[in-house]
Amino acid sequence: MEMVKSGEWTLLDVRPEEEVESGEIPGSVCVPLFEVDDDMSVQGLLKQMSAFGMGGWWLGGQHMRPNANFMPQVLNKIPRETKVIVVCQKGLRSLAACEQLSKTGYENIAWLNGGCEAAEKDVIPTVDGQDIRLAGVGGMSGVLGWNPVQQASGISTMDGPFGNVVKVIGFIVAVDVVALLYEFTHASQ
């Protein structure tokens, strides 16, 4: 971060708006590589339902589409001769963005391997002091505290009142299943 603070390098944040809002990096240039797909056609709705069914409910992700204006937006904000460090939440989008930057003529490019989530706490500052490692946490995994960053930090809603409610509901469901199996086996005799 010292290279960015000194002005030697420019930080390009390619995370979608939702993640940036959960942990904006001061002085960064924000241009999302992907945007939320808001297509409401039949095909668009099928894509959104598929994304939800394939893990969106667990991770909180929405169906995304590539930002068709990514490179024009970057070129408008960052000259080609600038040294650029590209970041995203997990490191994959920033690597893809580096490839596009390279093809467009940027020569001094770096990315944060593993993304913001892999950084130590407070190494990457945010505008409002939030832990940037949690900016991509969502869905049920975020609610339950089952994200690796939350687990490593000891952040879990399962320890509080919500967790107690979930545990009680789980116990009731387990007892109900046992009772149902008991009745089913005895009813057939």
PDB file of all heavy atoms in Angstrom, residues 16-48:
ATOM      1  N   PRO A  16     -17.294  -5.516  -8.245  1.00  0.00           N
ATOM      2  CA  PRO A  16     -18.590  -4.879  -8.535  1.00  0.00           C
ATOM      3  C   PRO A  16     -18.951  -3.865  -7.448  1.00  0.00           C
ATOM      4  O   PRO A  16     -18.421  -3.900  -6.337  1.00  0.00           O
ATOM      5  CB  PRO A  16     -19.584  -6.042  -8.546  1.00  0.00           C
ATOM      6  CG  PRO A  16     -18.841  -7.258  -8.188  1.00  0.00           C
ATOM      7  CD  PRO A  16     -17.400  -6.933  -8.016  1.00  0.00           C
ATOM      8  N   GLU A  17     -19.881  -2.966  -7.786  1.00  0.00           N
ATOM      9  CA  GLU A  17     -20.279  -1.889  -6.867  1.00  0.00           C
ATOM     10  C   GLU A  17     -20.651  -2.397  -5.476  1.00  0.00           C
ATOM     11  O   GLU A  17     -20.316  -1.769  -4.476  1.00  0.00           O
ATOM     12  CB  GLU A  17     -21.471  -1.120  -7.443  1.00  0.00           C
ATOM     13  CG  GLU A  17     -21.103  -0.140  -8.525  1.00  0.00           C
ATOM     14  CD  GLU A  17     -22.317   0.660  -8.989  1.00  0.00           C
ATOM     15  OE1 GLU A  17     -23.197   0.973  -8.170  1.00  0.00           O
ATOM     16  OE2 GLU A  17     -22.368   0.957 -10.198  1.00  0.00           O
ATOM     17  N   GLU A  18     -21.369  -3.518  -5.398  1.00  0.00           N
ATOM     18  CA  GLU A  18     -21.826  -4.046  -4.104  1.00  0.00           C
ATOM     19  C   GLU A  18     -20.648  -4.354  -3.191  1.00  0.00           C
ATOM     20  O   GLU A  18     -20.714  -4.107  -1.987  1.00  0.00           O
ATOM     21  CB  GLU A  18     -22.679  -5.305  -4.297  1.00  0.00           C
ATOM     22  CG  GLU A  18     -23.969  -5.101  -5.066  1.00  0.00           C
ATOM     23  CD  GLU A  18     -23.778  -4.974  -6.580  1.00  0.00           C
ATOM     24  OE1 GLU A  18     -22.698  -5.316  -7.095  1.00  0.00           O
ATOM     25  OE2 GLU A  18     -24.724  -4.508  -7.242  1.00  0.00           O
ATOM     26  N   GLU A  19     -19.579  -4.897  -3.744  1.00  0.00           N
ATOM     27  CA  GLU A  19     -18.405  -5.220  -2.926  1.00  0.00           C
ATOM     28  C   GLU A  19     -17.628  -3.958  -2.562  1.00  0.00           C
ATOM     29  O   GLU A  19     -17.118  -3.848  -1.448  1.00  0.00           O
ATOM     30  CB  GLU A  19     -17.502  -6.218  -3.655  1.00  0.00           C
ATOM     31  CG  GLU A  19     -18.102  -7.599  -3.729  1.00  0.00           C
ATOM     32  CD  GLU A  19     -17.225  -8.591  -4.486  1.00  0.00           C
ATOM     33  OE1 GLU A  19     -16.002  -8.354  -4.622  1.00  0.00           O
ATOM     34  OE2 GLU A  19     -17.779  -9.604  -4.952  1.00  0.00           O
ATOM     35  N   VAL A  20     -17.559  -3.008  -3.492  1.00  0.00           N
ATOM     36  CA  VAL A  20     -16.859  -1.749  -3.207  1.00  0.00           C
ATOM     37  C   VAL A  20     -17.580  -1.012  -2.084  1.00  0.00           C
ATOM     38  O   VAL A  20     -16.943  -0.467  -1.179  1.00  0.00           O
ATOM     39  CB  VAL A  20     -16.741  -0.878  -4.477  1.00  0.00           C
ATOM     40  CG1 VAL A  20     -16.208   0.512  -4.138  1.00  0.00           C
ATOM     41  CG2 VAL A  20     -15.859  -1.553  -5.514  1.00  0.00           C
ATOM     42  N   GLU A  21     -18.909  -1.004  -2.106  1.00  0.00           N
ATOM     43  CA  GLU A  21     -19.682  -0.334  -1.058  1.00  0.00           C
ATOM     44  C   GLU A  21     -19.438  -0.971   0.308  1.00  0.00           C
ATOM     45  O   GLU A  21     -19.530  -0.301   1.330  1.00  0.00           O
ATOM     46  CB  GLU A  21     -21.176  -0.372  -1.391  1.00  0.00           C
ATOM     47  CG  GLU A  21     -21.557   0.522  -2.546  1.00  0.00           C
ATOM     48  CD  GLU A  21     -22.988   0.315  -3.016  1.00  0.00           C
ATOM     49  OE1 GLU A  21     -23.729  -0.490  -2.416  1.00  0.00           O
ATOM     50  OE2 GLU A  21     -23.371   0.952  -4.021  1.00  0.00           O
ATOM     51  N   SER A  22     -19.098  -2.247   0.339  1.00  0.00           N
ATOM     52  CA  SER A  22     -18.835  -2.940   1.604  1.00  0.00           C
ATOM     53  C   SER A  22     -17.399  -2.755   2.080  1.00  0.00           C
ATOM     54  O   SER A  22     -17.044  -3.245   3.153  1.00  0.00           O
ATOM     55  CB  SER A  22     -19.119  -4.437   1.454  1.00  0.00           C
ATOM     56  OG  SER A  22     -20.474  -4.651   1.176  1.00  0.00           O
ATOM     57  N   GLY A  23     -16.589  -2.102   1.307  1.00  0.00           N
ATOM     58  CA  GLY A  23     -15.204  -1.869   1.698  1.00  0.00           C
ATOM     59  C   GLY A  23     -14.451  -1.113   0.622  1.00  0.00           C
ATOM     60  O   GLY A  23     -13.684  -1.693  -0.140  1.00  0.00           O
ATOM     61  N   GLU A  24     -14.688   0.199   0.541  1.00  0.00           N
ATOM     62  CA  GLU A  24     -14.036   1.023  -0.482  1.00  0.00           C
ATOM     63  C   GLU A  24     -12.622   1.367  -0.055  1.00  0.00           C
ATOM     64  O   GLU A  24     -12.370   1.788   1.071  1.00  0.00           O
ATOM     65  CB  GLU A  24     -14.836   2.307  -0.723  1.00  0.00           C
ATOM     66  CG  GLU A  24     -14.273   3.156  -1.832  1.00  0.00           C
ATOM     67  CD  GLU A  24     -15.088   4.405  -2.080  1.00  0.00           C
ATOM     68  OE1 GLU A  24     -16.210   4.515  -1.558  1.00  0.00           O
ATOM     69  OE2 GLU A  24     -14.580   5.295  -2.801  1.00  0.00           O
ATOM     70  N   ILE A  25     -11.679   1.192  -0.972  1.00  0.00           N
ATOM     71  CA  ILE A  25     -10.271   1.473  -0.704  1.00  0.00           C
ATOM     72  C   ILE A  25      -9.998   2.934  -1.060  1.00  0.00           C
ATOM     73  O   ILE A  25     -10.230   3.344  -2.201  1.00  0.00           O
ATOM     74  CB  ILE A  25      -9.357   0.545  -1.534  1.00  0.00           C
ATOM     75  CG1 ILE A  25      -9.692  -0.919  -1.259  1.00  0.00           C
ATOM     76  CG2 ILE A  25      -7.889   0.842  -1.238  1.00  0.00           C
ATOM     77  CD1 ILE A  25      -9.039  -1.900  -2.207  1.00  0.00           C
ATOM     78  N   PRO A  26      -9.524   3.732  -0.103  1.00  0.00           N
ATOM     79  CA  PRO A  26      -9.289   5.149  -0.389  1.00  0.00           C
ATOM     80  C   PRO A  26      -8.245   5.339  -1.487  1.00  0.00           C
ATOM     81  O   PRO A  26      -7.228   4.662  -1.510  1.00  0.00           O
ATOM     82  CB  PRO A  26      -8.801   5.722   0.944  1.00  0.00           C
ATOM     83  CG  PRO A  26      -8.536   4.580   1.836  1.00  0.00           C
ATOM     84  CD  PRO A  26      -9.142   3.360   1.245  1.00  0.00           C
ATOM     85  N   GLY A  27      -8.541   6.259  -2.414  1.00  0.00           N
ATOM     86  CA  GLY A  27      -7.616   6.581  -3.484  1.00  0.00           C
ATOM     87  C   GLY A  27      -7.613   5.603  -4.646  1.00  0.00           C
ATOM     88  O   GLY A  27      -6.867   5.789  -5.605  1.00  0.00           O
ATOM     89  N   SER A  28      -8.444   4.572  -4.574  1.00  0.00           N
ATOM     90  CA  SER A  28      -8.475   3.601  -5.670  1.00  0.00           C
ATOM     91  C   SER A  28      -9.343   4.113  -6.812  1.00  0.00           C
ATOM     92  O   SER A  28     -10.214   4.948  -6.618  1.00  0.00           O
ATOM     93  CB  SER A  28      -9.004   2.249  -5.189  1.00  0.00           C
ATOM     94  OG  SER A  28     -10.344   2.367  -4.756  1.00  0.00           O
ATOM     95  N   VAL A  29      -9.068   3.591  -7.997  1.00  0.00           N
ATOM     96  CA  VAL A  29      -9.894   3.861  -9.161  1.00  0.00           C
ATOM     97  C   VAL A  29     -10.795   2.638  -9.313  1.00  0.00           C
ATOM     98  O   VAL A  29     -10.302   1.521  -9.465  1.00  0.00           O
ATOM     99  CB  VAL A  29      -9.028   4.063 -10.431  1.00  0.00           C
ATOM    100  CG1 VAL A  29      -9.911   4.224 -11.656  1.00  0.00           C
ATOM    101  CG2 VAL A  29      -8.106   5.252 -10.259  1.00  0.00           C
ATOM    102  N   CYS A  30     -12.101   2.841  -9.235  1.00  0.00           N
ATOM    103  CA  CYS A  30     -13.045   1.720  -9.278  1.00  0.00           C
ATOM    104  C   CYS A  30     -13.684   1.602 -10.655  1.00  0.00           C
ATOM    105  O   CYS A  30     -14.389   2.511 -11.093  1.00  0.00           O
ATOM    106  CB  CYS A  30     -14.131   1.892  -8.220  1.00  0.00           C
ATOM    107  SG  CYS A  30     -13.484   1.957  -6.547  1.00  0.00           S
ATOM    108  N   VAL A  31     -13.417   0.475 -11.319  1.00  0.00           N
ATOM    109  CA  VAL A  31     -14.043   0.150 -12.597  1.00  0.00           C
ATOM    110  C   VAL A  31     -14.386  -1.330 -12.534  1.00  0.00           C
ATOM    111  O   VAL A  31     -13.486  -2.176 -12.551  1.00  0.00           O
ATOM    112  CB  VAL A  31     -13.115   0.430 -13.805  1.00  0.00           C
ATOM    113  CG1 VAL A  31     -13.824   0.065 -15.104  1.00  0.00           C
ATOM    114  CG2 VAL A  31     -12.651   1.875 -13.823  1.00  0.00           C
ATOM    115  N   PRO A  32     -15.661  -1.675 -12.424  1.00  0.00           N
ATOM    116  CA  PRO A  32     -16.019  -3.094 -12.288  1.00  0.00           C
ATOM    117  C   PRO A  32     -15.754  -3.878 -13.573  1.00  0.00           C
ATOM    118  O   PRO A  32     -16.089  -3.430 -14.665  1.00  0.00           O
ATOM    119  CB  PRO A  32     -17.510  -3.051 -11.966  1.00  0.00           C
ATOM    120  CG  PRO A  32     -17.996  -1.762 -12.521  1.00  0.00           C
ATOM    121  CD  PRO A  32     -16.835  -0.804 -12.430  1.00  0.00           C
ATOM    122  N   LEU A  33     -15.143  -5.042 -13.413  1.00  0.00           N
ATOM    123  CA  LEU A  33     -14.922  -5.934 -14.552  1.00  0.00           C
ATOM    124  C   LEU A  33     -16.233  -6.622 -14.927  1.00  0.00           C
ATOM    125  O   LEU A  33     -16.490  -6.891 -16.089  1.00  0.00           O
ATOM    126  CB  LEU A  33     -13.853  -6.977 -14.211  1.00  0.00           C
ATOM    127  CG  LEU A  33     -13.444  -7.933 -15.315  1.00  0.00           C
ATOM    128  CD1 LEU A  33     -12.829  -7.174 -16.491  1.00  0.00           C
ATOM    129  CD2 LEU A  33     -12.467  -8.976 -14.786  1.00  0.00           C
ATOM    130  N   PHE A  34     -17.062  -6.880 -13.926  1.00  0.00           N
ATOM    131  CA  PHE A  34     -18.382  -7.481 -14.132  1.00  0.00           C
ATOM    132  C   PHE A  34     -19.437  -6.608 -13.465  1.00  0.00           C
ATOM    133  O   PHE A  34     -19.163  -5.938 -12.479  1.00  0.00           O
ATOM    134  CB  PHE A  34     -18.445  -8.895 -13.539  1.00  0.00           C
ATOM    135  CG  PHE A  34     -17.603  -9.881 -14.274  1.00  0.00           C
ATOM    136  CD1 PHE A  34     -16.314 -10.154 -13.863  1.00  0.00           C
ATOM    137  CD2 PHE A  34     -18.098 -10.544 -15.388  1.00  0.00           C
ATOM    138  CE1 PHE A  34     -15.518 -11.063 -14.538  1.00  0.00           C
ATOM    139  CE2 PHE A  34     -17.316 -11.460 -16.070  1.00  0.00           C
ATOM    140  CZ  PHE A  34     -16.018 -11.721 -15.648  1.00  0.00           C
ATOM    141  N   GLU A  35     -20.651  -6.667 -14.021  1.00  0.00           N
ATOM    142  CA  GLU A  35     -21.785  -5.921 -13.475  1.00  0.00           C
ATOM    143  C   GLU A  35     -22.939  -6.887 -13.234  1.00  0.00           C
ATOM    144  O   GLU A  35     -23.031  -7.926 -13.898  1.00  0.00           O
ATOM    145  CB  GLU A  35     -22.239  -4.847 -14.468  1.00  0.00           C
ATOM    146  CG  GLU A  35     -21.166  -3.834 -14.804  1.00  0.00           C
ATOM    147  CD  GLU A  35     -21.574  -2.896 -15.934  1.00  0.00           C
ATOM    148  OE1 GLU A  35     -22.153  -3.358 -16.926  1.00  0.00           O
ATOM    149  OE2 GLU A  35     -21.299  -1.700 -15.794  1.00  0.00           O
ATOM    150  N   VAL A  36     -23.819  -6.519 -12.323  1.00  0.00           N
ATOM    151  CA  VAL A  36     -24.996  -7.343 -12.067  1.00  0.00           C
ATOM    152  C   VAL A  36     -25.834  -7.399 -13.342  1.00  0.00           C
ATOM    153  O   VAL A  36     -26.098  -6.376 -13.974  1.00  0.00           O
ATOM    154  CB  VAL A  36     -25.832  -6.780 -10.894  1.00  0.00           C
ATOM    155  CG1 VAL A  36     -27.134  -7.534 -10.743  1.00  0.00           C
ATOM    156  CG2 VAL A  36     -25.029  -6.827  -9.606  1.00  0.00           C
ATOM    157  N   ASP A  37     -26.220  -8.605 -13.716  1.00  0.00           N
ATOM    158  CA  ASP A  37     -27.045  -8.799 -14.905  1.00  0.00           C
ATOM    159  C   ASP A  37     -28.499  -8.525 -14.525  1.00  0.00           C
ATOM    160  O   ASP A  37     -29.104  -9.296 -13.790  1.00  0.00           O
ATOM    161  CB  ASP A  37     -26.882 -10.224 -15.429  1.00  0.00           C
ATOM    162  CG  ASP A  37     -27.555 -10.447 -16.763  1.00  0.00           C
ATOM    163  OD1 ASP A  37     -28.236  -9.524 -17.257  1.00  0.00           O
ATOM    164  OD2 ASP A  37     -27.403 -11.548 -17.315  1.00  0.00           O
ATOM    165  N   ASP A  38     -29.029  -7.419 -14.997  1.00  0.00           N
ATOM    166  CA  ASP A  38     -30.412  -7.042 -14.668  1.00  0.00           C
ATOM    167  C   ASP A  38     -31.370  -7.349 -15.814  1.00  0.00           C
ATOM    168  O   ASP A  38     -32.454  -6.783 -15.897  1.00  0.00           O
ATOM    169  CB  ASP A  38     -30.495  -5.574 -14.266  1.00  0.00           C
ATOM    170  CG  ASP A  38     -29.923  -4.641 -15.326  1.00  0.00           C
ATOM    171  OD1 ASP A  38     -29.495  -5.132 -16.389  1.00  0.00           O
ATOM    172  OD2 ASP A  38     -29.909  -3.427 -15.084  1.00  0.00           O
ATOM    173  N   ASP A  39     -30.996  -8.273 -16.694  1.00  0.00           N
ATOM    174  CA  ASP A  39     -31.824  -8.676 -17.827  1.00  0.00           C
ATOM    175  C   ASP A  39     -33.091  -9.358 -17.306  1.00  0.00           C
ATOM    176  O   ASP A  39     -33.024 -10.357 -16.596  1.00  0.00           O
ATOM    177  CB  ASP A  39     -31.025  -9.637 -18.713  1.00  0.00           C
ATOM    178  CG  ASP A  39     -31.798 -10.116 -19.932  1.00  0.00           C
ATOM    179  OD1 ASP A  39     -32.925  -9.635 -20.172  1.00  0.00           O
ATOM    180  OD2 ASP A  39     -31.265 -10.984 -20.645  1.00  0.00           O
ATOM    181  N   MET A  40     -34.242  -8.801 -17.633  1.00  0.00           N
ATOM    182  CA  MET A  40     -35.516  -9.353 -17.164  1.00  0.00           C
ATOM    183  C   MET A  40     -36.252 -10.137 -18.245  1.00  0.00           C
ATOM    184  O   MET A  40     -37.429 -10.449 -18.087  1.00  0.00           O
ATOM    185  CB  MET A  40     -36.420  -8.227 -16.634  1.00  0.00           C
ATOM    186  CG  MET A  40     -35.912  -7.635 -15.363  1.00  0.00           C
ATOM    187  SD  MET A  40     -35.825  -8.914 -14.109  1.00  0.00           S
ATOM    188  CE  MET A  40     -35.252  -7.999 -12.727  1.00  0.00           C
ATOM    189  N   SER A  41     -35.549 -10.476 -19.329  1.00  0.00           N
ATOM    190  CA  SER A  41     -36.158 -11.327 -20.343  1.00  0.00           C
ATOM    191  C   SER A  41     -36.263 -12.747 -19.776  1.00  0.00           C
ATOM    192  O   SER A  41     -35.723 -13.045 -18.707  1.00  0.00           O
ATOM    193  CB  SER A  41     -35.298 -11.346 -21.606  1.00  0.00           C
ATOM    194  OG  SER A  41     -34.075 -12.030 -21.358  1.00  0.00           O
ATOM    195  N   VAL A  42     -36.937 -13.622 -20.478  1.00  0.00           N
ATOM    196  CA  VAL A  42     -37.067 -15.008 -20.025  1.00  0.00           C
ATOM    197  C   VAL A  42     -35.689 -15.633 -19.871  1.00  0.00           C
ATOM    198  O   VAL A  42     -35.400 -16.289 -18.864  1.00  0.00           O
ATOM    199  CB  VAL A  42     -37.949 -15.826 -21.004  1.00  0.00           C
ATOM    200  CG1 VAL A  42     -37.928 -17.300 -20.652  1.00  0.00           C
ATOM    201  CG2 VAL A  42     -39.366 -15.289 -21.022  1.00  0.00           C
ATOM    202  N   GLN A  43     -34.814 -15.415 -20.834  1.00  0.00           N
ATOM    203  CA  GLN A  43     -33.457 -15.957 -20.761  1.00  0.00           C
ATOM    204  C   GLN A  43     -32.692 -15.367 -19.577  1.00  0.00           C
ATOM    205  O   GLN A  43     -31.983 -16.075 -18.875  1.00  0.00           O
ATOM    206  CB  GLN A  43     -32.699 -15.672 -22.054  1.00  0.00           C
ATOM    207  CG  GLN A  43     -33.235 -16.442 -23.235  1.00  0.00           C
ATOM    208  CD  GLN A  43     -32.607 -15.979 -24.537  1.00  0.00           C
ATOM    209  OE1 GLN A  43     -32.200 -14.825 -24.667  1.00  0.00           O
ATOM    210  NE2 GLN A  43     -32.547 -16.885 -25.500  1.00  0.00           N
ATOM    211  N   GLY A  44     -32.826 -14.075 -19.372  1.00  0.00           N
ATOM    212  CA  GLY A  44     -32.147 -13.416 -18.261  1.00  0.00           C
ATOM    213  C   GLY A  44     -32.616 -13.938 -16.916  1.00  0.00           C
ATOM    214  O   GLY A  44     -31.813 -14.170 -16.009  1.00  0.00           O
ATOM    215  N   LEU A  45     -33.927 -14.129 -16.779  1.00  0.00           N
ATOM    216  CA  LEU A  45     -34.465 -14.660 -15.526  1.00  0.00           C
ATOM    217  C   LEU A  45     -34.004 -16.095 -15.293  1.00  0.00           C
ATOM    218  O   LEU A  45     -33.711 -16.484 -14.152  1.00  0.00           O
ATOM    219  CB  LEU A  45     -35.989 -14.570 -15.519  1.00  0.00           C
ATOM    220  CG  LEU A  45     -36.546 -13.145 -15.465  1.00  0.00           C
ATOM    221  CD1 LEU A  45     -38.065 -13.155 -15.642  1.00  0.00           C
ATOM    222  CD2 LEU A  45     -36.162 -12.463 -14.166  1.00  0.00           C
ATOM    223  N   LEU A  46     -33.900 -16.886 -16.362  1.00  0.00           N
ATOM    224  CA  LEU A  46     -33.398 -18.257 -16.228  1.00  0.00           C
ATOM    225  C   LEU A  46     -31.944 -18.258 -15.761  1.00  0.00           C
ATOM    226  O   LEU A  46     -31.552 -19.072 -14.919  1.00  0.00           O
ATOM    227  CB  LEU A  46     -33.547 -19.024 -17.538  1.00  0.00           C
ATOM    228  CG  LEU A  46     -34.962 -19.444 -17.906  1.00  0.00           C
ATOM    229  CD1 LEU A  46     -35.011 -20.015 -19.317  1.00  0.00           C
ATOM    230  CD2 LEU A  46     -35.515 -20.445 -16.897  1.00  0.00           C
ATOM    231  N   LYS A  47     -31.141 -17.336 -16.289  1.00  0.00           N
ATOM    232  CA  LYS A  47     -29.743 -17.217 -15.851  1.00  0.00           C
ATOM    233  C   LYS A  47     -29.671 -16.840 -14.376  1.00  0.00           C
ATOM    234  O   LYS A  47     -28.858 -17.380 -13.627  1.00  0.00           O
ATOM    235  CB  LYS A  47     -29.010 -16.159 -16.680  1.00  0.00           C
ATOM    236  CG  LYS A  47     -28.729 -16.559 -18.102  1.00  0.00           C
ATOM    237  CD  LYS A  47     -28.053 -15.407 -18.815  1.00  0.00           C
ATOM    238  CE  LYS A  47     -27.924 -15.644 -20.297  1.00  0.00           C
ATOM    239  NZ  LYS A  47     -27.333 -14.469 -20.985  1.00  0.00           N
ATOM    240  N   GLN A  48     -30.542 -15.904 -13.962  1.00  0.00           N
ATOM    241  CA  GLN A  48     -30.535 -15.486 -12.573  1.00  0.00           C
ATOM    242  C   GLN A  48     -30.967 -16.622 -11.644  1.00  0.00           C
ATOM    243  O   GLN A  48     -30.379 -16.819 -10.569  1.00  0.00           O
ATOM    244  CB  GLN A  48     -31.425 -14.258 -12.395  1.00  0.00           C
ATOM    245  CG  GLN A  48     -30.851 -13.024 -13.062  1.00  0.00           C
ATOM    246  CD  GLN A  48     -31.756 -11.828 -12.971  1.00  0.00           C
ATOM    247  OE1 GLN A  48     -32.481 -11.664 -12.006  1.00  0.00           O
ATOM    248  NE2 GLN A  48     -31.718 -10.964 -13.979  1.00  0.00           N
TER     249      GLN A  48
END
